[in-house]
Amino acid sequence: MFIVTNTIKIEKEHVDQVVTRFNGGHAQASIAGIEGFLGFELWRKKDTHPDYSEIVVTSRWDNEANQKAWLKTDGFKKAHGRTADTREQHAHRTGIISNEIAEFETVLSQE
């Protein structure tokens, strides 16, 4: 299994707004029917800093090749502001301080 996380650092006063964007359906729409997609979760880190919060976007894939193929789809590009229609919308999003992508390969899994 291949797992990708995107840890997003957000100004405290904007964290609910950013979480709502993920609940708004763009995440599901951009990934629906994609080969090899196994699941998606959005985690909110327990508050540890007075000025910002963090959320972690987690997606699980059967392999790295399918995840990389998704990055080239129109659904991904629209959801992430990489088309002419969505670029301006994303430019006006406030509250995001930074983000960091990490990729993992499952070496042990227990249920």
Side-chain angles (χ1 to χ4, degrees):
M1 184 179 339
F2 185 69
I3 298 168
V4 178
T5 63
N6 182 6
T7 301
I8 306 171
K9 189 182 291 186
I10 306 163
E11 296 170 354
K12 276 215 186 279
E13 62 271 16
H14 295 284
V15 96
D16 290 336
Q17 176 186 357
V18 173
V19 169
T20 298
R21 286 186 213 140
F22 282 93
N23 287 333
H26 86 273
Q28 293 99 349
S30 76
I31 212 152
I34 298 297
E35 184 178 345
F37 174 69
L38 301 175
F40 167 87
E41 294 177 351
L42 184 63
W43 304 336
R44 183 174 179 172
K45 187 174 182 180
K46 290 188 173 192
D47 285 335
T48 57
H49 195 278
D51 298 326
Y52 64 85
S53 289
E54 290 180 339
I55 61 170
V56 180
V57 182
T58 305
S59 60
R60 297 183 323 276
W61 300 84
D62 63 353
N63 61 56
E64 183 176 1
N66 283 331
Q67 191 273 338
K68 298 300 182 198
W70 171 62
L71 299 178
K72 298 176 183 175
T73 66
D74 288 340
F76 174 85
K77 292 174 186 175
K78 286 180 183 177
H80 294 84
R82 296 183 182 165
T83 67
D85 295 340
T86 59
R87 217 170 264 122
E88 187 174 330
Q89 288 175 322
H90 284 258
H92 299 293
R93 292 189 172 180
T94 57
I96 295 178
I97 299 168
S98 65
N99 75 301
E100 181 179 347
I101 305 288
E103 298 177 338
F104 301 89
E105 184 177 307
T106 301
V107 294
L108 176 65
S109 179
Q110 295 182 344
E111 304 241 353

